[in-house]
Amino acid sequence: QVALGYTRIVSPVDGTVVSRNVDVGQTVAASFQTPTLFLIAQDLTKMQVDTNVSESDIGSVHVGQRATFTVDAYPDKIFEGQVTQVREAPISVQNVVTYNAVISVANPKLLLFPGMTANARIITAERKNVLVVPLQALQFMPNGIAPSQNSAPSPTTRVWVLRNGRPVAVPVSLGLRGATAVEVIGGPLKAGDAVIIGEVSGTNQISSTHGSLFPFGRR
């Protein structure tokens, strides 16, 4: 009776069995390491995403920041979460160092399964209703004008605007920088100005775009 009592294994928590590693009738021996019999998810309505953030970006990631991610099972659906942990233990793979940031997300409809691959974006800063210009506008230089020795854009720089069919340099002060655009926080530039981003080789045609007001965030 005592030996039979040892054969009853009870889960320490209520939950859902995710995987079963033993079969009926299989002999289980603890020996020096307790074997894993079942993998149990305690609450599938609360999930977390373990992300690998490069060491060059980890300094901008903090607890409480908003994050979005997608999974292959629902390519058209964007899930939202929040950074709850930034772990300091480095992960080195082929001399590339990353750090783990944990994103907590609610899963009330049980759409997300354990083990899914997520493509995550952590929003480190955000601006709404601001004037922006494309990053290409900061690199444009008309033919015949020597570029500055310092090619990296500074907080105060200039962009070229098409006025009366001719390029005119306009000084601007820059703010938050994103992947494709940069915020303009000062200068005579206004929404609707045709900002030059490049020239068509061999002709006098100039490509341009218009500044506009729309929500903008660095991701």
Side-chain angles (χ1 to χ4, degrees), residues 67-127:
T68 61
F69 67 93
T70 59
V71 294
D72 294 339
Y74 312 102
D76 299 328
K77 184 176 179 58
I78 298 178
F79 297 88
E80 293 192 5
Q82 188 178 48
V83 178
T84 54
Q85 291 184 33
V86 179
R87 296 173 180 169
E88 300 178 359
I91 303 172
S92 181
V93 179
Q94 296 181 352
N95 294 328
V96 176
V97 178
T98 60
Y99 292 86
N100 186 267
V102 179
I103 300 172
S104 296
V105 57
N107 187 32
K109 297 182 180 179
L110 302 180
L111 298 177
L112 301 173
F113 295 171
M116 282 185 170
T117 301
N119 299 311
R121 305 178 72 183
I122 299 174
I123 302 174
T124 59
E126 189 175 19
R127 300 285 190 273

Side-chain angles (χ1 to χ4, degrees), residues 138-157:
L138 305 180
Q139 306 296 332
F140 173 76
M141 187 68 61
N143 292 330
I145 299 179
S148 173
Q149 293 182 355
N150 183 13
S151 59
S154 61
T156 302
T157 185

Side-chain angles (χ1 to χ4, degrees), residues 2-3 29 42 49-50 55 60 72 77 80 91 130 160 208 214:
V2 172
Q42 186 172 0
V49 181
D50 292 338
E55 58 179 325
S60 302
D72 294 339
K77 184 176 179 58
E80 293 192 5
I91 303 172
V130 298
W160 292 86
S208 64
F214 64 89

